[in-house]
Amino acid sequence: METTTLTEAELKEEIVKAIKRVYDPEIPVDVYELGLIYDLKIFPVNNVYVSMTLTSPSCPSAGTLPGEVEQRIREVEGVNDVSLELTFDPPYTTEMMSEEARLELGFM
């Protein structure tokens, strides 16, 4: 079986697709479109770093959402390791949502 090596851009695209399968349980929009992903980097040997936040520090899904994002990224073929950092700086605001998410939620 031949394995194809993805370019960094292709791998990042696959990782974003994986993240977009994770939804905030209280809002019908994925965490990527909500703007909860602050940073996404791919380091040599396909080690992935993600910095993310939650809609609020008291978010009921605080215990599960970061783990779900990390698990989805680990499932992407070619990913070696994942380091996920949860931060509340800067604090989340609805301005961080994509236009698509704001439309979906009636903010526009």
Side-chain angles (χ1 to χ4, degrees):
M1 187 172 144
E2 199 178 307
T3 57
T4 56
T5 307
L6 297 176
T7 66
E8 186 175 317
E10 290 169 331
L11 183 59
K12 191 169 190 172
E13 191 178 313
E14 291 303 310
I15 291 167
V16 168
K17 282 184 197 171
I19 293 170
K20 284 184 170 193
R21 293 197 323 257
V22 179
Y23 284 78
D24 185 302
E26 299 175 337
I27 307 168
V29 176
D30 69 76
V31 297
Y32 191 85
E33 296 296 337
L34 277 176
L36 299 181
I37 305 300
Y38 283 173
D39 197 10
L40 172 60
K41 291 186 175 117
I42 300 171
F43 293 105
V45 205
N46 294 344
N47 290 322
V48 178
Y49 166 80
V50 177
S51 173
M52 72 173 289
T53 194
L54 300 169
T55 51
S56 88
S58 58
C59 175
S61 54
T64 59
L65 220 46
E68 191 177 343
V69 169
E70 183 178 336
Q71 183 58 42
R72 293 286 188 181
I73 295 169
R74 286 185 186 282
E75 291 169 0
V76 174
E77 192 174 331
V79 168
N80 182 47
D81 198 14
V82 179
S83 171
L84 188 137
E85 180 184 9
L86 188 59
T87 184
F88 294 99
D89 183 32
Y92 178 79
T93 69
T94 55
E95 295 302 308
M96 296 170 174
M97 285 185 209
S98 69
E99 192 173 299
E100 182 182 310
R102 286 198 293 259
L103 278 169
E104 176 80 26
L105 297 174
F107 284 94
M108 291 180 77

